[in-house]
Amino acid sequence: MKHNLVLRFITKYLFPVIALFALYVQFHGDYGPGGGFQAGVILSVAFILYAMVFGMESMEKVLPLGLLRTLASTGVLIYAATGVTTLLMGGNFLDYDILSQLPIQGQHIGIMIIELGVGITVSAVMLIIFYAFTDRRNYD
Amino acid sequence: MLDTFIDITLLAFLTITAIAIIKVRDLFVVIMLFSIFSLHSAGLFVVMDAADVAFTEAAVGAGISTVLMLATLALTKDHDEKRPAHKARLPLLVVLITGAALVYGTYDIPSFGDPDAPAQAHVKPYYIEQSMRETGVPNTVTAVLASYRGYDTLGEVTVIFTAGIGVMLLIGGRLTRKRDKEDDR
């Protein structure tokens, strides 16, 4: 699809819109539908669209596999570390009340952080799976 | 009234797509039909006010899994499904009996949105009444997933992470070897 001018043009404009929508779903998840999982999936869809139109080589320049591996583990780590932090601060595991003076504020902070962790892991893992499927083609 | 009409239309499209998936032998067409099937399901979820699930279904079902199946298809040589050699009578009988049993079972299920259903009676009233006061998050789904059931969600994220590692180990192995070779050069 590398020579399809219309597709390339539209993808260039569609990519930021999809990515922005993913960020909206991520950080507006407290108030509207959505959350980390949905946001991560939508973000990875934007990158997959990019890779399908511009090819895997330019995709790997943007997001090398090594970076994705690091991101995938970072997300889980952020989530678990939030739990450990609340433990160290004297609360229960993943009890966000303790994160701030006001319990409700603590809940907001905690939910925001763990949703971010979920989003990072989900989008990275989806792209890792996509890489694993598509890159095999270069060999056979 | 309009809800019923949309429900019937979407379910009719789902059935038509499902029958088409069975009938069509070209696997490329089957994959695209699966994608359409997912998109219709996403529409149904929106009608049922489950926007979160609809997001996921549209992005994963219609988007990512379609791309993954297309990538798999590109790796294989034969793009046509072979006709099965045996007759479909016995499997059809089994499917019909199972389907009839399942339909019979639905008569015992509480109707959609029934406030007295067991699923609504347990902890749900507490979440609906208290989640705003306790977490300050207007979206109850997020409050339950991220706060009340935060431990479960941690497990789910770990499952996704493990799935990624599994795929990398099973079919992504050559990627690392390719890197090593390039380094040697």
Side-chain angles (χ1 to χ4, degrees), chain A residues 29-32 34 37-38 41 60 65 69 79 96 104 107-108 114-115 118 125 128 130 133 135-136 139, chain B residues 52 55-56 59-60 67 72 133 136-139 142 146-147 150 153-154 157 160 168 171 174-176 178-179:
Chain A
D30 294 5
Y31 302 96
F37 185 83
Q38 285 83 358
V41 169
E60 274 198 55
L65 189 72
R69 280 185 201 157
Y79 201 136
Y96 315 126
I104 285 188
Q107 289 281 344
H108 263 296
I114 65 119
E115 290 278 13
V118 174
V125 165
I128 284 173
F130 175 67
F133 271 82
D135 261 25
R136 291 163 62 91
Y139 290 88
Chain B
D52 299 69
F55 271 156
T56 316
V60 177
V67 171
T72 314
R133 194 180 59 79
V137 172
N139 184 358
T142 303
S147 186
T153 311
L154 174 61
V157 176
I160 293 168
M168 258 200 295
I171 62 174
R174 293 204 223 174
L175 276 173
T176 43
K178 173 188 167 193
R179 290 280 146 67

Side-chain angles (χ1 to χ4, degrees), chain A residues 79-80 82-84 86-87 92-96 114, chain B residues 146-147 150-151 154:
Chain A
Y79 201 136
T82 314
V84 175
T86 55
L87 268 183
N92 286 328
F93 189 67
L94 290 171
D95 175 19
Y96 315 126
I114 65 119
Chain B
S147 186
Y151 197 71
L154 174 61

Side-chain angles (χ1 to χ4, degrees), chain B residues 51-128:
Chain B
D52 299 69
V53 189
F55 271 156
T56 316
E57 182 66 44
V60 177
I64 295 175
S65 67
T66 308
V67 171
L68 291 186
M69 285 209 272
L70 285 176
T72 314
L73 194 65
L75 294 173
T76 55
K77 289 193 180 91
D78 208 356
H79 289 196
D80 283 320
E81 188 186 355
K82 287 192 178 65
R83 283 189 180 282
H86 57 86
K87 286 266 188 273
R89 270 185 209 130
L90 184 67
L92 185 68
L93 190 73
V94 173
V95 166
L96 280 179
I97 292 171
T98 319
L102 286 174
V103 170
Y104 176 71
T106 59
Y107 286 106
D108 266 354
I109 293 177
S111 59
F112 179 66
D114 183 2
D116 298 325
Q120 326 276 20
H122 184 46
V123 285
K124 208 170 168 185
Y126 178 83
Y127 287 149
I128 290 171

Side-chain angles (χ1 to χ4, degrees), chain A residues 50-79:
Chain A
Y50 182 87
M52 281 172 80
V53 176
F54 292 96
M56 284 306 284
E57 281 138 28
S58 42
M59 174 73 182
E60 274 198 55
K61 278 181 200 153
V62 183
L63 276 178
L65 189 72
L67 178 68
L68 284 177
R69 280 185 201 157
T70 319
L71 282 176
S73 39
T74 309
V76 183
L77 209 61
I78 288 174
Y79 201 136

Side-chain angles (χ1 to χ4, degrees), chain B residues 4-16:
Chain B
T4 323
F5 178 71
I6 294 173
D7 273 348
I8 290 171
T9 315
L10 280 174
L11 285 171
F13 274 129
L14 271 185
T15 320
I16 294 168

